[in-house]
Amino acid sequence: MRPPRGLDPGSVWARRLRQLEQRLRTKEERIAVLETENAVLHLKLAEYQGLAGRSTNEVLQLYSAHGQQQNLQRRSVVTQLHGAIKRLKQDLKSLRSFALELSKDFQRQSETYLYQVLTAVQGIQLQNEAMQMFQIKALHLQQSLQEVTERYEKEKQKRRALHNSLVELRGNIRVHCRIRPLLPFDTAAGHSISQDGQRNFSEKVAYAADDETVLVKCSRPGHASINKTFQFERVYNASESQDTVFADVAPLLTSLLDGYNVCIMAYGQTGSGKTYTMLGPQLEENFAFSIEDESELGIIPRATQEVFRLISEKPPGSYWVEVSVVEVYNNEIFDLLAKDSCGKLFGVKRDVITTREGKSDVPLLTYETVENASEFLHLVNKGLQLRVRHPTLVHAHSSRSHLVVTLTITSIVSGDNFGTSWEDEQISQRLNKEVSCTFPQKMRDNKSTSSSRASSPVQLEATEKMKQVKTRLQLVDLAGSECVGMSGVTGAALRETSFINRSLSALADVLGAIAEQRPHIPYRNSKLTHLLQDSVGGDAKLLVMLCISPDQRYLTESMQSLGFGTRARQVQRGQVKKKSFPVPSKAK
């Protein structure tokens, strides 16, 4: 390095030398320090190497101790395993012996069960054979039962026919009983009555035990229940239809055209189904009955249809029919077909009398000639609109009068159709003297006739043995008997109830007097019995249709109705006479 210009080279080099010496001393000091540190490190290294040697020994010792411990553990585990294996061998030996015993036991049970199964199979086979034999026997028994049932039905029909013949010979009153179902107003009435604590809630106590027996369960608080039975010619349960009821009534209508008077009346407590049985369901606004549903029609419309059907099978012009509609209200008779000057129907009071022949008659009673059932139903519906009714707690549409619908059938018959009794011979002789006979003809402008049947007569040329015979079909819907405490009537309705109960009591008195064969029969105690004198007294085949409610609340009233029916069917009036006499007619 060349020294700069203007400086002394020697001083420069001297200074440079000093710097280098300084740097050398620094380096030497650094070397000394490093040698010292190196020595220290060698000492530490030696120390660490000593420690490492000792650690290695310790590790070797630990490895040796661990190996010894593992050897000990292995020896312990092996010992334990040997013990466990020994125990397992013992258990296995026990299990083998148990399995052997179990196998032997299973084999024994299998043999036992197999024997039982075989025995059961043999038993089932024997039972199947016995079952087949039983089935064969059951089939034979079923066939025998069917044969016995058919024989029973035939004998039952024969017995009923014989009984009916006996009834006719004795003049007994036929009594049928119909039990109506429980209806909604029973529940409604039950609520209103139970508030007063007088009666229990609705409970069915009257049943049809069979088609001839009524069973009534009579019970009182604190007493055992008693079952009472009542026998009648026919009993209808709550499910039997109007068709079924009329099927047992229809044979009487044949007797009507054979020359016998017929009377059918419904008796029972108010609300027991009398009007439904006789007429059918009624319209709400009046007493008219609905003819829309033919299956619901009652006895009166069905009887009329049957009468006109029977007449249609006869020679034309040999029969004609007149109808009258009467109600007995408060012991007064009202003609429901009477017309005012304007031709409007209004109830006219009539009276009932006894003729010289001892028959009952209603002078001036209106008779309308009808040619078919439709005209009859129209007339009766118009008359029913005048019938008195009044709501009570028992029945919202309670009728307050007795209704009597009468069909008078005039027959033109030959004398050969009658017996050859002395009376018939006398009648024939009188008829042979007559040259002609008259009978009414229905006029389009005026259908009404009075009790004398004064209508436009038509002159007919009579044969030698021609006869006119009038028979009468009376269809009676009696007002219902009432318990004043239950019906809750007051005022005018209470008076109506009094007359209703008195007239029904008078009817019972008449039947009692006939049954006891008293010399005097109190027909005139009531207009009702006076009006029905001929029918009740034995001049007609009489059928009483008892109508009862099955409800516990009406038990007393139902028992009274059943008692009335029982007494009625015991009445012997003598054999009903056939109408073989001529109707007096004026020759024109």
Side-chain angles (χ1 to χ4, degrees):
M1 180 176 178
R2 183 178 289 178
R5 293 179 180 177
L7 293 179
D8 185 9
S11 59
V12 172
W13 290 112
R15 186 174 54 191
R16 181 70 176 169
L17 180 63
R18 287 192 297 273
Q19 292 178 349
L20 290 173
E21 288 176 352
Q22 181 69 29
R23 291 175 62 185
L24 178 62
R25 285 193 297 273
T26 302
K27 295 291 186 182
E28 288 176 350
E29 291 175 356
R30 178 65 178 164
I31 291 170
V33 172
L34 290 175
E35 287 177 351
T36 303
E37 291 179 355
N38 189 21
V40 173
L41 289 174
H42 277 289
L43 290 174
K44 288 184 177 180
L45 177 62
E47 183 181 359
Y48 288 152
Q49 286 178 347
L51 289 173
R54 290 193 297 274
S55 297
T56 301
N57 292 331
E58 291 177 358
V59 168
L60 291 174
Q61 292 175 0
L62 289 174
Y63 274 120
S64 176
H66 179 67
Q68 293 176 358
Q69 186 178 4
Q70 284 183 343
N71 289 332
L72 291 174
Q73 288 179 351
R74 287 193 189 99
R75 291 191 190 98
S76 177
V77 170
V78 168
T79 304
Q80 292 177 358
L81 287 174
H82 279 295
I85 289 171
K86 188 177 181 179
R87 289 192 299 272
L88 287 173
K89 288 181 179 179
Q90 293 176 354
D91 293 341
L92 182 60
K93 187 176 180 180
S94 301
L95 286 174
R96 284 178 180 173
S97 61
F98 176 74
L100 183 61
E101 292 178 0
L102 186 64
S103 176
K104 292 179 180 179
D105 186 51
F106 177 75
Q107 187 174 2
R108 288 195 301 270
Q109 290 183 0
S110 297
E111 293 175 355
T112 303
Y113 291 150
L114 180 61
Y115 174 76
Q116 291 177 353
V117 168
L118 292 176
T119 305
V121 169
Q122 293 176 355
I124 290 173
Q125 291 177 349
L126 293 175
Q127 288 181 357
N128 286 335
E129 294 175 359
M131 181 66 69
Q132 291 177 355
M133 294 178 62
F134 286 145
Q135 288 178 347
I136 294 172
K137 289 182 179 179
L139 182 60
H140 291 322
L141 288 174
Q142 188 175 4
Q143 293 175 351
S144 301
L145 178 61
Q146 185 175 0
E147 293 175 0
V148 170
T149 302
E150 292 175 355
R151 287 171 52 194
Y152 169 74
E153 291 297 330
K154 291 179 181 178
E155 293 298 327
K156 188 176 179 181
Q157 292 176 1
K158 290 180 181 179
R159 187 194 69 79
R160 185 169 290 179
L162 291 173
H163 176 72
N164 288 335
S165 300
L166 182 62
V167 167
E168 289 192 7
L169 291 174
R170 290 179 175 177
N172 289 55
I173 299 172
R174 294 173 177 81
V175 180
H176 295 186
C177 180
R178 188 178 195 185
I179 305 173
R180 72 159 172 80
L182 288 173
L183 299 175
F185 69 78
D186 290 326
T187 304
H191 284 302
S192 61
I193 294 172
S194 61
Q195 292 175 358
D196 299 333
Q198 296 178 356
R199 295 295 177 98
N200 295 327
F201 193 68
S202 298
E203 180 184 357
K204 192 173 182 179
V205 295
Y207 306 85
D210 54 45
D211 59 357
E212 294 182 355
T213 308
V214 177
L215 173 66
V216 181
K217 294 183 179 180
C218 303
S219 60
R220 291 184 299 169
H223 294 76
S225 178
I226 301 175
N227 293 337
K228 293 187 178 181
T229 58
F230 299 85
Q231 300 289 330
F232 301 106
E233 278 69 29
R234 184 70 165 87
V235 174
Y236 308 97
N237 59 43
S239 62
E240 294 192 80
S241 64
Q242 299 276 61
D243 293 327
T244 305
V245 174
F246 182 72
D248 295 321
V249 175
L252 285 175
L253 303 178
T254 305
S255 301
L256 185 69
L257 297 187
D258 290 339
Y260 294 94
N261 289 334
V262 176
C263 179
I264 303 170
M265 69 170 64
Y267 181 97
Q269 177 214 4
T270 182
S272 59
K274 300 182 303 301
T275 301
Y276 175 79
T277 299
M278 295 302 293
L279 292 170
Q282 292 179 279
L283 302 176
E284 292 291 335
E285 60 272 10
N286 51 46
F287 260 114
F289 55 92
S290 173
I291 59 177
E292 294 179 359
D293 188 359
E294 292 188 359
S295 64
E296 294 293 321
L297 289 178
I299 291 176
I300 292 178
R302 289 174 184 266
T304 308
Q305 293 173 351
E306 179 66 11
V307 166
F308 279 102
R309 187 192 68 80
L310 294 173
I311 290 176
S312 67
E313 298 175 353
K314 304 296 182 180
S318 59
Y319 292 86
W320 72 88
V321 181
E322 297 168 301
V323 60
S324 66
V325 182
V326 165
E327 75 167 346
V328 181
Y329 172 68
N330 286 353
N331 205 34
E332 297 290 347
I333 296 176
F334 290 89
D335 182 359
L336 298 185
L337 295 185
K339 298 179 181 179
D340 58 14
S341 57
C342 299
K344 184 179 180 181
L345 293 180
F346 72 107
V348 177
K349 186 185 296 186
R350 305 293 189 194
D351 199 6
V352 58
I353 64 171
T354 302
T355 63
R356 293 180 180 179
E357 293 79 12
K359 306 295 182 181
S360 62
D361 188 26
V362 181
L364 303 178
L365 181 62
T366 302
Y367 290 85
E368 293 280 354
T369 305
V370 291
E371 291 183 348
N372 52 54
S374 297
E375 292 183 2
F376 165 82
L377 296 177
H378 177 70
L379 276 176
V380 172
N381 258 337
K382 289 174 65 177
L384 286 175
Q385 294 177 15
L386 301 177
R387 193 179 182 188
V388 181
R389 67 176 177 177
H390 187 85
T392 68
L393 293 179
V394 177
H395 188 22
H397 305 286
S398 176
S399 54
R400 316 304 293 170
S401 64
H402 309 292
L403 177 71
V404 182
V405 178
T406 305
L407 275 78
T408 304
I409 302 174
T410 304
S411 310
I412 306 299
V413 296
S414 171
D416 294 336
N417 292 336
F418 297 91
T420 57
S421 64
W422 181 83
E423 288 183 356
D424 288 337
E425 292 177 357
Q426 297 296 321
I427 294 169
S428 297
Q429 291 175 4
R430 283 187 291 171
L431 284 175
N432 288 337
K433 295 178 183 179
E434 295 180 357
V435 179
S436 62
C437 62
T438 60
F439 48 101
Q441 179 188 18
K442 182 178 176 182
M443 304 301 291
R444 296 183 181 275
D445 54 347
N446 184 11
K447 297 180 182 178
S448 298
T449 62
S450 67
S451 61
S452 63
R453 313 298 198 273
S455 62
S456 300
V458 176
Q459 187 74 28
L460 294 180
E461 184 175 346
T463 62
E464 292 183 356
K465 295 184 179 181
M466 188 71 70
K467 294 183 180 180
Q468 289 187 35
V469 176
K470 288 188 180 290
T471 53
R472 185 169 57 185
L473 170 63
Q474 282 190 317
L475 303 165
V476 185
D477 178 22
L478 296 174
S481 58
E482 288 185 6
C483 174
V484 176
M486 290 189 64
S487 61
V489 293
T490 57
L494 178 60
R495 183 169 179 267
E496 293 167 352
T497 299
S498 175
F499 278 111
I500 291 171
N501 290 341
R502 276 190 282 175
S503 61
L504 294 176
S505 177
L507 178 60
D509 292 341
V510 166
L511 293 178
I514 297 174
E516 296 174 6
Q517 298 181 353
R518 299 178 196 168
H520 172 69
I521 310 299
Y523 291 113
R524 298 192 183 188
N525 284 359
S526 169
K527 294 289 182 67
L528 174 66
T529 54
H530 198 180
L531 180 65
L532 301 178
Q533 174 179 342
D534 299 342
S535 298
V536 176
D539 194 36
K541 294 184 177 183
L542 177 58
L543 185 147
V544 175
M545 183 67 69
L546 293 181
C547 295
I548 64 171
S549 168
D551 198 337
Q552 166 70 31
R553 296 191 308 274
Y554 310 127
L555 177 61
T556 302
E557 292 75 12
S558 296
M559 292 293 290
Q560 186 272 332
S561 298
L562 293 170
F564 174 86
T566 301
R567 292 190 299 273
R569 70 190 300 258
Q570 295 172 352
V571 174
Q572 297 184 12
R573 306 174 300 163
Q575 188 173 3
V576 177
K577 296 180 180 180
K578 188 175 182 179
K579 303 304 173 185
S580 59
F581 56 87
V583 176
S585 59
K586 298 179 181 179
K588 187 173 179 179

